[in-house]
Amino acid sequence: MSRRLLGYDDLRAKGIKYSKSQINRLIKDRKFPRPVAGAGKANAWVEDEIDQYVDSLVAARDSVAA
């Protein structure tokens, strides 16, 4: 199985437009997927985990609207 890693710019392309500091706060509060070590000092996120995070936001929205 091949997993794709996403950089910060890739997160923005998926609609996650949080600042880096906001992402770090969410990670600290365990509300956002933890990054894995990327190239150099850059962080990278597993695409499947980011997709699940976005799906959870949609599900939370839909549960309130129901």
Side-chain angles (χ1 to χ4, degrees):
M1 173 185 356
S2 175
R3 291 194 173 172
R4 182 167 175 235
L5 295 178
L6 305 174
Y8 180 71
D9 291 337
D10 298 319
L11 295 179
R12 297 184 67 75
K14 284 200 169 266
I16 298 172
K17 298 187 178 182
Y18 305 146
S19 68
K20 290 179 181 181
S21 60
Q22 178 65 16
I23 288 174
N24 288 333
R25 280 191 292 273
L26 290 170
I27 291 168
K28 182 180 176 186
D29 293 340
R30 298 179 184 216
K31 295 180 180 179
F32 194 81
R34 292 178 54 206
V36 296
K41 294 182 180 180
N43 286 327
W45 289 266
V46 178
E47 184 174 32
D48 292 341
E49 293 174 1
I50 295 301
D51 290 340
Q52 289 173 3
Y53 173 76
V54 172
D55 289 345
S56 73
L57 294 176
V58 172
R61 178 208 59 196
D62 291 349
S63 70
V64 171

